[in-house]
Coordinates of all heavy atoms in Angstrom, one line a residue:
E397 N 4.2 13.0 -10.4 CA 3.8 12.0 -11.5 C 2.4 11.4 -11.1 O 2.0 11.5 -10.0 CB 4.8 10.8 -11.5 CG 5.0 10.2 -10.2 CD 5.9 8.9 -10.3 OE1 6.4 8.6 -11.3 OE2 5.9 8.2 -9.2
F398 N 1.8 10.8 -12.2 CA 0.6 10.1 -12.0 C 0.5 9.0 -12.9 O 0.7 9.1 -14.1 CB -0.6 11.1 -12.3 CG -2.0 10.4 -12.3 CD1 -2.5 9.7 -11.2 CD2 -2.7 10.3 -13.5 CE1 -3.7 9.1 -11.2 CE2 -3.9 9.7 -13.5 CZ -4.4 9.0 -12.4
T399 N 0.3 7.8 -12.4 CA 0.2 6.6 -13.2 C -1.2 6.1 -13.0 O -1.6 5.7 -11.9 CB 1.2 5.5 -12.9 OG1 2.4 6.1 -12.7 CG2 1.3 4.4 -13.9
A400 N -2.1 6.1 -14.0 CA -3.5 5.7 -13.9 C -3.6 4.2 -13.9 O -2.9 3.5 -14.7 CB -4.3 6.3 -15.0
T401 N -4.5 3.7 -13.0 CA -4.9 2.3 -13.1 C -6.0 2.3 -14.2 O -6.8 3.2 -14.3 CB -5.5 1.8 -11.8 OG1 -4.4 2.0 -10.8 CG2 -6.0 0.4 -11.8
V402 N -6.1 1.1 -14.9 CA -7.3 1.0 -15.8 C -8.5 0.7 -15.0 O -8.5 -0.3 -14.3 CB -7.0 0.0 -16.9 CG1 -8.2 -0.1 -17.8 CG2 -5.7 0.3 -17.7
V403 N -9.5 1.6 -15.0 CA -10.7 1.4 -14.3 C -11.8 0.9 -15.2 O -11.9 1.3 -16.3 CB -11.1 2.7 -13.6 CG1 -12.5 2.6 -12.9 CG2 -10.0 3.2 -12.7
D404 N -12.6 -0.1 -14.7 CA -13.7 -0.6 -15.5 C -14.9 0.4 -15.3 O -15.5 0.4 -14.3 CB -14.1 -2.0 -15.0 CG -15.4 -2.5 -15.7 OD1 -15.9 -1.8 -16.6 OD2 -15.8 -3.6 -15.3
D405 N -15.1 1.2 -16.4 CA -16.1 2.3 -16.3 C -17.4 1.9 -17.0 O -18.1 2.8 -17.5 CB -15.5 3.6 -16.8 CG -14.7 4.3 -15.8 OD1 -15.1 4.2 -14.6 OD2 -13.7 4.9 -16.1
R406 N -17.7 0.6 -17.0 CA -18.9 0.3 -17.9 C -20.2 0.8 -17.3 O -21.1 1.2 -18.0 CB -18.9 -1.2 -18.1 CG -19.8 -2.1 -17.3 CD -19.5 -3.5 -17.7 NE -18.4 -4.0 -16.9 CZ -18.4 -5.2 -16.3 NH1 -19.4 -6.1 -16.6 NH2 -17.4 -5.6 -15.6
F407 N -20.3 0.9 -15.9 CA -21.5 1.5 -15.3 C -21.6 3.0 -15.6 O -22.7 3.5 -15.9 CB -21.6 1.2 -13.8 CG -21.7 -0.3 -13.5 CD1 -20.8 -1.0 -12.9 CD2 -22.9 -0.9 -14.0 CE1 -20.9 -2.3 -12.6 CE2 -23.0 -2.3 -13.7 CZ -22.1 -3.0 -13.0
A408 N -20.5 3.6 -15.6 CA -20.4 5.1 -15.9 C -20.9 5.3 -17.3 O -21.7 6.2 -17.6 CB -19.0 5.6 -15.7
S409 N -20.4 4.4 -18.2 CA -20.8 4.5 -19.7 C -22.3 4.4 -19.8 O -22.9 5.1 -20.6 CB -20.1 3.5 -20.5 OG -18.7 3.6 -20.3
E410 N -22.8 3.4 -19.1 CA -24.3 3.1 -19.2 C -25.1 4.3 -18.7 O -26.1 4.7 -19.3 CB -24.6 1.8 -18.4 CG -26.0 1.2 -18.7 CD -26.3 0.9 -20.1 OE1 -25.4 1.0 -21.0 OE2 -27.4 0.5 -20.4
A411 N -24.6 4.9 -17.5 CA -25.3 6.0 -16.9 C -25.3 7.2 -17.9 O -26.2 7.9 -18.0 CB -24.7 6.4 -15.6
R412 N -24.1 7.4 -18.6 CA -24.0 8.5 -19.5 C -25.0 8.3 -20.7 O -25.7 9.2 -21.1 CB -22.6 8.5 -20.1 CG -21.5 8.9 -19.2 CD -20.1 8.6 -19.8 NE -19.8 9.4 -21.0 CZ -19.5 10.7 -20.9 NH1 -19.4 11.3 -19.8 NH2 -19.2 11.3 -22.1
R413 N -25.1 7.0 -21.2 CA -25.9 6.8 -22.3 C -27.4 7.1 -22.0 O -28.1 7.7 -22.7 CB -25.7 5.3 -22.7 CG -26.4 4.9 -24.1 CD -26.2 3.4 -24.4 NE -26.9 2.6 -23.4 CZ -28.3 2.5 -23.3 NH1 -29.0 3.1 -24.2 NH2 -28.8 1.7 -22.4
I414 N -27.8 6.6 -20.8 CA -29.2 6.8 -20.4 C -29.5 8.3 -20.1 O -30.5 8.8 -20.6 CB -29.5 5.9 -19.2 CG1 -29.5 4.5 -19.6 CG2 -30.9 6.3 -18.6 CD1 -29.5 3.5 -18.5
A415 N -28.6 9.0 -19.4 CA -28.9 10.4 -19.1 C -28.9 11.2 -20.4 O -29.8 12.1 -20.6 CB -27.8 10.9 -18.2
A416 N -28.1 10.9 -21.4 CA -28.0 11.7 -22.6 C -29.3 11.4 -23.5 O -29.7 12.2 -24.3 CB -26.8 11.3 -23.4
S417 N -29.9 10.2 -23.3 CA -31.0 9.9 -24.1 C -32.4 10.4 -23.5 O -33.4 10.4 -24.2 CB -31.1 8.4 -24.3 OG -31.5 7.8 -23.1
R418 N -32.3 10.8 -22.3 CA -33.6 11.3 -21.6 C -33.9 12.7 -22.0 O -33.1 13.6 -21.9 CB -33.4 11.2 -20.1 CG -33.4 9.8 -19.6 CD -34.3 9.6 -18.3 NE -34.3 8.3 -17.9 CZ -33.8 7.8 -16.8 NH1 -33.3 8.7 -15.9 NH2 -33.9 6.6 -16.5
P419 N -35.2 12.9 -22.3 CA -35.6 14.3 -22.6 C -35.5 15.2 -21.3 O -35.6 14.7 -20.2 CB -37.1 14.1 -23.0 CG -37.5 12.8 -22.5 CD -36.3 12.0 -22.4

Side-chain angles (χ1 to χ4, degrees):
E397 57 173 6
F398 171 63
T399 316
T401 300
V402 179
V403 175
D404 177 359
D405 277 325
R406 100 184 87 139
F407 292 116
S409 305
E410 191 60 5
R412 288 168 67 78
R413 192 184 62 73
I414 291 169
S417 70
R418 288 223 178 118

